């Protein structure tokens, strides 16, 4: 009921610009936060394949491979027209719910400032161009599908050439030799990551028994060796709660529990049996890094 009231309020709000109102179908699609199965793929590349197939079927829409564009062409000829025609009602819905489809920049001045900064990095370090370009391709597709009302999409068909989603998922690895190059690389990759958030919804689930793209349910009880499944994987979903030696994993050479060697672990004492003054203080690294993308299915266990 509360959501319905919010939606009615949004419908009564004046537009931020003189753009036509979103249709009922546009608003319904904006309110749906989990894509239907027909719009999801098993992993990043498959997600791109599935969504590209839908784009190719849009009547009158011209599409080109992402690699056929330059970053500046995408900015000026694809993204800029869509930024100016974005529907305020749709953007309000995304902002209200902190949806990944929401705008990252509230005005054109801020958007151009980021473009100028990233373009400067690309001019100095051309090797970063493809990462930047691919992120812009993802952003362009997301804006076309989710920021424009249907009538505005139709309006752009004659003048717009939309990039298809790239198959490659860029990952940040290693480090650059000099400070300037490393700073540019980190900012370009950070910008890229902010533009490929569609994978969080469109690339899951990979198994029909999973209901979302976060954690899979606990493993079924091993009939021959009950409890072995908890040694391999155990998290907050398990009941009873995980013990000190559970969920530590170990070397695996297959998916079944008989193709897994548990880490050697012996419980010396339960936490409740050790006075707090005698417990060792936990120590954590000053900085940690994990690469989590659409193919990562246990992010809380990384």
């Amino acid at each position: 009921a509360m959501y319905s009231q919010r939606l009615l309020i949004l419908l009564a709000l004046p537009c931020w610009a003189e753009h036509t109102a979103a249709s009922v179908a546009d608003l319904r699609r904006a309110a749906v936060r989990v894509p239907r199965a027909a719009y999801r793929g098993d992993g990043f590349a498959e997600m791109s394949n599935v969504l590209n197939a839908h784009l190719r079927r849009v009547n009158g829409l011209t599409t080109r491979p992402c690699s056929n564009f330059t970053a500046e062409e995408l900015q000026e000829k694809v993204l800029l027209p869509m930024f100016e025609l974005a529907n305020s009602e749709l953007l309000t819905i995304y902002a209200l719910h902190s949806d990944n489809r929401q705008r990252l920049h509230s005005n054109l001045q801020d958007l151009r400032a980021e473009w100028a900064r990233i373009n400067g990095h690309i001019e100095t370090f051309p090797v970063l161009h493809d990462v930047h370009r691919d992120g812009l391709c993802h952003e362009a597709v997301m804006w076309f599908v989710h920021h424009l009302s249907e009538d505005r999409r139709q309006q752009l068909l004659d003048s717009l050439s939309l990039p298809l989603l790239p198959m490659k998922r860029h990952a940040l690895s290693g480090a650059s030799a000099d400070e300037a190059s490393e700073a540019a690389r980190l900012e370009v990759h950070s910008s890229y990551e902010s533009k490929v958030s569609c994978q969080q919804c469109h690339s899951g689930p990979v198994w029909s028994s999973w209901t979302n793209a976060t954690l899979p349910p606990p493993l079924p009880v091993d009939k021959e060796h009950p409890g072995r499944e908890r040694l391999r994987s155990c998290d907050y979903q398990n009941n009873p709660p995980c013990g000190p030696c559970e969920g530590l994993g170990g070397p695996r050479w297959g998916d079944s529990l008989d193709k897994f060697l548990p880490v050697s672990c012996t419980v010396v004492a339960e936490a409740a049996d050790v006075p707090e003054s005698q417990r060792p203080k936990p120590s954590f690294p000053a900085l940690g890094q994990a690469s989590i993308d659409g193919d990562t299915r246990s992010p809380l266990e990384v």
Side-chain angles (χ1 to χ4, degrees), residues 138-157:
H138 278 273
E139 188 169 52
V141 171
M142 194 273 283
W143 286 10
F144 181 80
V145 174
H146 295 294
H147 286 191
L148 301 178
S149 60
E150 176 59 29
D151 64 327
R152 290 306 189 187
R153 285 194 292 272
Q154 291 296 322
Q155 176 184 330
L156 286 174
L157 290 182

Side-chain angles (χ1 to χ4, degrees), residues 83-96:
F83 188 90
E84 295 174 337
L85 293 177
N87 184 273
S88 61
E89 293 172 297
L90 301 179
L91 297 180
T92 300
I93 292 175
Y94 304 143
L96 180 64

Side-chain angles (χ1 to χ4, degrees), residues 64-172:
R64 290 160 48 194
C66 181
S67 58
N68 285 8
F69 291 84
T70 65
E72 291 194 17
E73 182 183 5
L74 287 165
Q75 291 165 344
E76 298 299 328
K77 295 184 178 181
V78 181
L79 291 165
L80 182 59
M82 289 195 289
F83 188 90
E84 295 174 337
L85 293 177
N87 184 273
S88 61
E89 293 172 297
L90 301 179
L91 297 180
T92 300
I93 292 175
Y94 304 143
L96 180 64
H97 296 282
S98 299
D99 193 298
N100 282 335
R101 294 170 290 180
Q102 66 183 311
R103 261 190 178 170
L104 299 180
H105 302 90
S106 60
N107 57 69
L108 185 57
Q109 181 179 359
D110 290 345
L111 178 63
R112 283 199 174 279
E114 181 190 308
W115 285 354
R117 190 171 61 254
I118 301 298
N119 289 348
H121 292 323
I122 303 306
E123 185 176 350
T124 306
F125 305 103
V127 70
L128 296 172
H129 174 268
D130 289 0
V131 178
H132 180 38
R133 178 205 62 208
D134 287 3
L136 293 174
C137 288
H138 278 273
E139 188 169 52
V141 171
M142 194 273 283
W143 286 10
F144 181 80
V145 174
H146 295 294
H147 286 191
L148 301 178
S149 60
E150 176 59 29
D151 64 327
R152 290 306 189 187
R153 285 194 292 272
Q154 291 296 322
Q155 176 184 330
L156 286 174
L157 290 182
D158 291 337
S159 59
L160 183 71
S161 181
L162 193 70
L164 294 170
L165 295 172
M167 298 294 108
K168 181 177 180 180
R169 176 69 160 88
H170 297 280
L172 183 65

Side-chain angles (χ1 to χ4, degrees), residues 89-299:
E89 293 172 297
L90 301 179
L91 297 180
T92 300
I93 292 175
Y94 304 143
L96 180 64
H97 296 282
S98 299
D99 193 298
N100 282 335
R101 294 170 290 180
Q102 66 183 311
R103 261 190 178 170
L104 299 180
H105 302 90
S106 60
N107 57 69
L108 185 57
Q109 181 179 359
D110 290 345
L111 178 63
R112 283 199 174 279
E114 181 190 308
W115 285 354
R117 190 171 61 254
I118 301 298
N119 289 348
H121 292 323
I122 303 306
E123 185 176 350
T124 306
F125 305 103
V127 70
L128 296 172
H129 174 268
D130 289 0
V131 178
H132 180 38
R133 178 205 62 208
D134 287 3
L136 293 174
C137 288
H138 278 273
E139 188 169 52
V141 171
M142 194 273 283
W143 286 10
F144 181 80
V145 174
H146 295 294
H147 286 191
L148 301 178
S149 60
E150 176 59 29
D151 64 327
R152 290 306 189 187
R153 285 194 292 272
Q154 291 296 322
Q155 176 184 330
L156 286 174
L157 290 182
D158 291 337
S159 59
L160 183 71
S161 181
L162 193 70
L164 294 170
L165 295 172
M167 298 294 108
K168 181 177 180 180
R169 176 69 160 88
H170 297 280
L172 183 65
S173 60
S176 300
D178 63 276
E179 187 174 335
S181 174
E182 179 65 4
R185 191 177 71 102
L186 290 175
E187 185 165 11
V188 170
H189 273 271
S190 176
S191 176
Y192 169 80
E193 291 293 338
S194 72
K195 295 171 173 53
V196 295
S197 60
C198 57
Q199 64 172 336
Q200 296 178 15
C201 295
H202 285 283
S203 65
V206 295
W207 300 113
S208 59
S209 60
W210 295 6
T211 58
N212 54 46
T214 55
L215 284 178
L219 294 172
V221 175
D222 188 323
K223 296 180 180 179
E224 295 186 11
H225 305 284
R228 185 180 177 87
E229 74 287 345
R230 292 171 62 94
L231 297 178
R232 195 181 94 174
S233 177
C234 193
D235 55 47
Y236 71 92
Q237 302 175 95
N238 286 80
N239 187 22
C242 307
C245 287
E246 294 178 330
L248 299 182
R252 293 166 54 183
W253 53 94
D255 289 334
S256 59
L257 288 172
D258 61 338
K259 297 180 179 179
F260 153 70
L261 182 63
V263 170
S264 178
C265 176
T266 302
V267 178
V268 177
E270 297 287 346
D273 299 329
V274 180
E276 189 170 350
S277 61
Q278 297 180 20
R279 299 176 189 174
K281 294 183 178 180
S283 178
F284 301 99
L287 177 65
Q289 178 176 315
S291 176
I292 300 178
D293 57 31
D295 295 322
T296 301
R297 293 297 155 184
S298 295

